[in-house]
Amino acid sequence: DTGVSQNPRHKITKRGQNVTFRCDPISEHNRLYWYRQTLGQGPEFLTYFQNEAQLEKSRLLSDRFSAERPKGSFSTLEIQRTEQGDSAMYLCASSSTGYANTGELFFGEGSRLTVL
Amino acid sequence: QKEVEQNSGPLSVPEGAIASLNCTYSDRGSQSFFWYRQYSGKSPELIMFIYSNGDKEDGRFTAQLNKASQYVSLLIRDSQPSDSATYLCAVVPNTGGFKTIFGAGTRLFVKA
């Protein structure tokens, strides 16, 4: 098990372009989370899935953001018509739902987005 | 009011001292509380979790929870320079789901 994997690790794009990030969680983990983190701030909750169902989405999240987890395994986060304010580190995390689950989130290394 | 509030610091302590990090949360029904450590340029990693009122100790770390005051703290004994990092308080609010909300973090510097 190699942990949570995210790619690309870095993405530079021009304002107005669309970008997509992929997250592969730890294989036995049912829950998958997306967060956004900017310098000096904690991770900001965006959305989470349990299996393929998207259970909650932040009310602060623009309609330009969409996430999917079609088969309950990997997930994608797409940002349409990017804006400079979207520049941030996008973190994916996964957790298990088993009996011994503590609620711990296991984070990937993140995908850094720079919008020019 | 933010859901999870922390003093952003920085908090500076000498090596060997006790570092005390504090956090308050707004949802009185919250049930699960976590402390994560984040080194510069790295992702958060769990240090401790606590569910019940009182203290929970793990090595040099002690988490304290007071649900009546909606307050969580982390004590780091015998602080080491390697403890220098940002410490994130995280809470699972009582919304019927499993989202985890993070505070802004407290930057800790341990001076050798």
Side-chain angles (χ1 to χ4, degrees):
Chain A
D1 187 356
T2 57
V4 179
S5 176
Q6 293 187 245
N7 64 81
R9 294 290 310 282
H10 303 275
K11 178 71 176 178
I12 300 174
T13 191
K14 292 182 179 179
R15 186 178 55 185
Q17 298 295 304
N18 299 344
V19 296
T20 300
F21 300 114
R22 174 176 170 131
C23 173
D24 288 88
I26 294 172
S27 58
E28 64 268 26
H29 284 183
N30 293 357
R31 294 194 188 117
L32 185 148
Y33 299 75
W34 285 101
Y35 288 86
R36 175 172 61 192
Q37 188 174 28
T38 53
L39 192 64
Q41 299 298 313
E44 175 193 2
F45 173 79
L46 297 180
T47 189
Y48 87 97
F49 295 83
Q50 181 154 321
N51 299 314
E52 65 275 10
Q54 186 174 19
L55 296 188
E56 192 161 351
K57 183 176 176 180
S58 170
R59 286 171 289 178
L60 301 177
L61 199 60
S62 161
D63 289 343
R64 297 183 296 103
F65 287 70
S66 62
E68 295 183 341
R69 194 183 184 197
K71 297 182 179 179
S73 56
F74 73 92
S75 174
T76 58
L77 176 68
E78 181 183 21
I79 308 173
Q80 296 182 328
R81 303 181 304 281
T82 53
E83 302 173 356
Q84 288 184 327
D86 297 331
S87 296
M89 178 71 84
Y90 289 84
L91 293 168
C92 176
S94 68
S95 71
S96 70
T97 58
Y99 177 77
N101 173 41
T102 63
E104 177 180 2
L105 300 183
F106 294 82
F107 284 87
E109 294 185 333
S111 294
R112 180 170 296 284
L113 173 65
T114 301
V115 182
L116 302 177
Chain B
Q1 181 185 11
K2 291 184 178 179
E3 292 181 88
V4 181
E5 297 209 50
Q6 297 181 253
N7 186 328
S8 62
L11 173 65
S12 184
V13 300
E15 184 175 358
I18 296 175
S20 178
L21 306 162
N22 305 313
C23 169
T24 58
Y25 59 94
S26 61
D27 184 341
R28 181 171 292 276
S30 299
Q31 296 294 323
S32 305
F33 307 88
F34 306 85
W35 284 99
Y36 286 79
R37 177 176 61 200
Q38 186 172 26
Y39 291 114
S40 180
K42 300 295 186 181
S43 293
E45 55 181 354
L46 183 73
I47 299 175
M48 293 193 68
F49 62 89
I50 186 168
Y51 303 147
S52 304
N53 276 328
D55 295 359
K56 179 181 179 183
E57 186 175 320
D58 184 0
R60 297 187 295 112
F61 298 95
T62 299
Q64 299 174 317
L65 173 62
N66 183 327
K67 290 187 177 180
S69 300
Q70 295 174 238
Y71 177 88
V72 194
S73 66
L74 179 71
L75 300 178
I76 306 175
R77 289 181 300 281
D78 188 24
S79 296
Q80 301 297 310
S82 58
D83 295 327
S84 298
T86 296
Y87 289 81
L88 299 163
C89 175
V91 175
V92 177
N94 187 27
T95 58
F98 298 94
K99 75 176 181 181
T100 302
I101 302 300
F102 286 82
T106 298
R107 293 174 62 194
L108 172 66
F109 292 103
V110 180
K111 299 174 293 185

